[in-house]
Amino acid sequence: MTLTQERQPIVIQPQQCLDLEHGNTLREQLSSLVPHPKHLWAIDLVKVNFMNSSGLAALLKGVSAIRSGCRLIICNLQAPVRTIFELTQMDSVFEIYENYDAVVTMFNAQP
């Protein structure tokens, strides 16, 4: 799992799967970040090909950031992961972008 911060967007990119072990790692990473208004957290799932309920629970940890004014988006959902989001209706909870380039375009267009 890699974590980078470029300017204001904070990019979190989990690797391979979001199961119990990797979900806990993601939860810890999200907990270590301090949400600030006007920050953008981008969770890039381009390298995640499997997710279970532990992974979804870890992502929901980020919802608390939204409540404090931080913007949380998810991008690059692979087909199996997208199906999980749709079946659990999490696609209506999270702001989802097709790819990271769309996130950058949206972020740069903001005043």
Side-chain angles (χ1 to χ4, degrees):
M1 193 170 293
T2 58
L3 174 68
T4 60
Q5 183 174 357
E6 301 166 358
R7 261 186 354 155
Q8 286 298 311
I10 295 172
V11 181
I12 302 166
Q13 192 175 60
Q15 309 289 311
Q16 297 177 349
C17 65
L18 280 177
D19 55 9
L20 181 60
E21 177 185 350
H22 296 100
N24 285 337
T25 302
L26 177 59
R27 185 179 293 116
E28 289 170 11
Q29 283 187 315
L30 290 172
S31 294
S32 71
L33 297 173
V34 178
H36 295 286
K38 299 184 182 179
H39 270 193
L40 173 69
W41 293 1
I43 301 176
D44 187 347
L45 299 179
V46 69
K47 296 181 180 179
V48 175
N49 55 17
F50 173 81
M51 178 185 292
N52 63 18
S53 60
S54 297
L56 282 175
L59 290 173
L60 286 171
K61 172 67 180 162
V63 172
S64 62
I66 296 169
R67 292 187 187 115
S68 59
C70 180
R71 188 168 181 184
L72 175 93
I73 63 95
I74 295 176
C75 63
N76 284 318
L77 293 176
Q78 303 305 307
V81 175
R82 181 174 295 280
T83 300
I84 298 295
F85 271 76
E86 291 168 354
L87 290 173
T88 59
Q89 298 182 346
M90 289 292 116
D91 57 337
S92 64
V93 173
F94 292 100
E95 191 175 347
I96 299 174
Y97 286 81
E98 285 298 314
N99 54 54
Y100 187 70
D101 290 339
V103 173
V104 170
T105 301
M106 172 276 304
F107 183 72
N108 289 332
Q110 293 180 347

